[in-house]
Amino acid sequence: DGGITQSPKYLFRKEGQNVTLSCEQNLNHDAMYWYRQDPGQGLRLIYYSQIVNDFQKGDIAEGYSVSREKKESFPLTVTSAQKNPTAFYLCASSRRRGRRDEQFFGPGTRLTVL
Amino acid sequence: EDQVTQSPEALRLQEGESSSLNCSYTVSGLRGLFWYRQDPGKGPEFLFTLYSAGEEKEKERLKATLTKKESFLHITAPKPEDSATYLCAVVYISNFGNEKLTFGTGTRLTIIP
């Protein structure tokens, strides 16, 4: 089955720790995205990548970092510099570069800071 | 300011009671609009893409339409399994000349048996 997987489903972080969220896709999609979802707000773009070894900041990149060493993988690191990291994190991919292609989402990771 | 607004925020319907959800936008250079369904604690599931005013798409009990200012998601004779949050997302050309995608905050739909 083709799709997007995210792990872990739930993640707990102590203040001051960095944590890495995994995102893998086997759809052979070029572009991948990370979003953050908070109650009462629309999805907000953190980072995106349209090709291997290249990525761009989205609207709320501060306190986050990413890498795109393989086409299938786009991990997100939430650093200690992110002041309010508790949220639901969603990874997505689209077949081609550019925003006009529909994006397909993974199941999400819920991060809680203790 | 570029905005995407969904209304109502929440909607409760009896099973079989048809209605519509609205997604209005104030952007220039619309390039496309997406509808997604999201169940609690899960990622959004893609439903439709609309690219130009007048376009319509249908899937089972759902029908999406697009005008120059808004999109409607019509739900006909809904069933309890249609209960979910419905998100719209708009692709447009920003003031800086690049393509952007902005999500609305969603409409939480509850179908009562």
Side-chain angles (χ1 to χ4, degrees), chain A:
Chain A
D1 276 342
I4 303 173
T5 57
Q6 290 186 243
S7 62
K9 187 175 173 72
Y10 299 98
L11 185 57
F12 298 90
R13 189 194 95 169
K14 294 181 180 179
E15 289 201 18
Q17 277 184 336
N18 293 352
V19 291
T20 297
L21 284 58
S22 169
C23 177
E24 304 276 333
Q25 55 101 355
N26 61 4
L27 300 167
N28 199 32
H29 284 180
D30 284 338
M32 297 186 74
Y33 308 83
W34 273 106
Y35 292 91
R36 171 183 172 136
Q37 188 172 37
D38 295 281
Q41 297 194 43
L43 274 68
R44 292 183 290 167
L45 182 65
I46 303 172
Y47 268 98
Y48 64 101
S49 168
Q50 300 195 55
I51 194 170
V52 175
N53 291 323
D54 187 46
F55 48 83
Q56 285 80 40
K57 293 181 179 180
D59 299 320
I60 55 165
E62 185 176 350
Y64 299 98
S65 66
V66 294
S67 63
R68 185 92 186 273
E69 296 176 1
K70 298 186 298 182
K71 188 175 184 178
E72 312 79 52
S73 179
F74 191 41
L76 173 74
T77 296
V78 184
T79 75
S80 56
Q82 169 50 235
K83 297 305 177 191
N84 185 22
T86 294
F88 190 49
Y89 289 87
L90 289 161
C91 178
S93 70
S94 62
R95 187 164 57 93
R96 295 172 296 187
R97 309 172 197 181
R99 308 302 174 89
R100 295 183 217 186
D101 261 24
E102 52 268 22
Q103 296 180 18
F104 296 91
F105 286 83
T109 292
R110 186 164 299 281
L111 173 64
T112 303
V113 173
L114 302 173

Side-chain angles (χ1 to χ4, degrees), chain A residues 9 35 37 40-44 59 88 90 96 98-108 110, chain B residues 31-32 34 36 38 41-46 49 51 87 91 93 98-105:
Chain A
K9 187 175 173 72
Y35 292 91
Q37 188 172 37
Q41 297 194 43
L43 274 68
R44 292 183 290 167
D59 299 320
F88 190 49
L90 289 161
R96 295 172 296 187
R99 308 302 174 89
R100 295 183 217 186
D101 261 24
E102 52 268 22
Q103 296 180 18
F104 296 91
F105 286 83
R110 186 164 299 281
Chain B
R31 290 293 180 265
F34 304 111
Y36 289 87
Q38 185 175 25
K42 297 190 176 180
E45 174 190 344
F46 171 73
T49 307
Y51 286 113
L87 306 174
V91 185
I93 303 298
N98 60 321
E99 247 180 16
K100 285 205 69 171
L101 174 68
T102 296
F103 281 83
T105 54

Side-chain angles (χ1 to χ4, degrees), chain B residues 5-18:
Chain B
T5 303
Q6 291 190 246
S7 61
E9 286 188 20
L11 181 62
R12 291 170 63 89
L13 300 172
Q14 293 291 328
E15 183 173 0
E17 181 185 359
S18 301

